[in-house]
Amino acid sequence: MRLFFPVCFLFYCTISLLTALVIASPIKSIIKLSPLPITQHNVELPLNEYHALEILALRKVSSSQVPLPYDMPQNTQSLLPIDTDTVIDINHNKIRDDYERLLLTQYQRPEYVAMGILAAAHWDRLVATHTQNDRVPSITALTLITNNIAINQCYYSLQQIDNTLISPILNYFNTEQRLAIKDQAEEKLLAIIALSPFTIIFDPQPCQRFTLLAESMLQTTFI
């Protein structure tokens, strides 16, 4: 069921955006197809291993640092924006410990782990708008929604080549309450976009959105 979630999510976003007078451009695959048997080495990822390791080091993500489940006190809280569920972040790297452990155990490549970290940073910003009292600027709403769509498009595209890569979105929004917050935040942003003068064009290379998110996090430019 997880494998089909990005498709459903993308469909929902696309329909919602079209009702808000969204103009979509054709989506081009960024995957290099090959007549040879496809392996992980044939996948063109938005991050190389070097920059993925930079992100892991910056966010202090490693199997040796993430607390084990039995080390977690039940009353530990983090500063992440999902404030209606208990969030545990013992190593204080602003990544929920259960999600961090999942990234490290589920994905064997640092590029995949780094993508999960970048996606989580975006989802943090998305759900923060749910309780934001100040009006969310149209350009911010536009950026968050297009990031949302690009992230899901990218995971779906990469899954066509590497079926071991599963989007971690259901692991991040892993309770009914977190899913409800995500849905409400998206509805709020879509309502803002519907009244916006901006025209939305879908990214023809959605995986490159991860590159931009990484550049923002690292405050550097990839070569």
Side-chain angles (χ1 to χ4, degrees):
M1 188 172 183
R2 289 180 181 173
L3 288 172
F4 293 101
F5 182 79
V7 184
C8 297
F9 180 78
L10 175 58
F11 177 78
Y12 167 78
C13 287
T14 303
I15 294 300
S16 299
L17 289 173
L18 286 175
T19 61
L21 301 180
V22 171
I23 299 176
S25 63
I27 299 172
K28 300 177 182 177
S29 174
I30 67 161
I31 305 300
K32 289 183 177 179
L33 300 179
S34 168
L36 300 175
I38 304 262
T39 69
Q40 288 186 341
H41 299 292
N42 301 123
V43 181
E44 184 172 330
L45 297 174
L47 305 174
N48 60 36
E49 185 174 357
Y50 172 77
H51 290 110
L53 292 174
E54 274 194 309
I55 291 170
L56 300 188
L58 177 67
R59 298 304 294 267
K60 299 179 181 178
V61 174
S62 73
S63 55
S64 64
Q65 293 183 30
V66 63
L68 297 175
Y70 50 77
D71 291 333
M72 292 185 177
Q74 292 302 311
N75 61 350
T76 302
Q77 299 286 327
S78 78
L79 299 178
L80 293 179
I82 302 178
D83 56 6
T84 53
D85 280 333
T86 297
V87 175
I88 299 179
D89 180 24
I90 289 181
N91 55 353
H92 304 295
N93 62 353
K94 298 185 179 180
I95 302 174
R96 215 173 64 226
D97 287 344
D98 64 295
Y99 180 78
E100 185 177 351
R101 273 198 314 278
L102 177 128
L103 293 179
L104 291 168
T105 56
Q106 180 166 302
Y107 303 126
Q108 303 304 310
R109 302 184 63 173
E111 299 95 324
Y112 289 172
V113 177
M115 286 174 63
I117 292 170
L118 293 169
H122 159 72
W123 293 327
D124 285 348
R125 291 189 290 271
L126 173 74
V127 298
T129 65
H130 177 258
T131 55
Q132 182 174 327
N133 293 325
D134 297 335
R135 186 182 184 279
V136 179
S138 297
I139 190 64
T140 300
L142 181 71
T143 300
L144 289 172
I145 287 296
T146 54
N147 280 353
N148 241 18
I149 296 174
I151 286 171
N152 284 278
Q153 285 179 320
C154 179
Y155 273 114
Y156 177 71
S157 296
L158 293 177
Q159 283 173 355
Q160 309 312 299
I161 304 300
D162 183 359
N163 58 16
T164 68
L165 176 60
I166 300 173
S167 171
I169 190 168
L170 284 180
N171 299 109
Y172 189 82
F173 297 103
N174 60 349
T175 68
E176 290 185 7
Q177 199 162 20
R178 288 183 175 127
L179 280 172
I181 291 174
K182 177 185 75 68
D183 292 343
Q184 291 164 17
E186 290 168 351
E187 290 173 4
K188 178 179 179 179
L189 297 175
L190 288 169
I192 294 171
I193 292 174
L195 301 175
S196 166
F198 297 108
T199 298
I200 299 177
I201 300 177
F202 289 170
D203 196 333
Q205 295 187 330
C207 285
Q208 292 306 308
R209 195 63 62 100
F210 277 104
T211 306
L212 297 176
L213 292 172
E215 288 177 355
S216 178
M217 180 176 287
L218 295 171
Q219 295 183 338
T220 187
T221 302
F222 293 175
I223 298 177

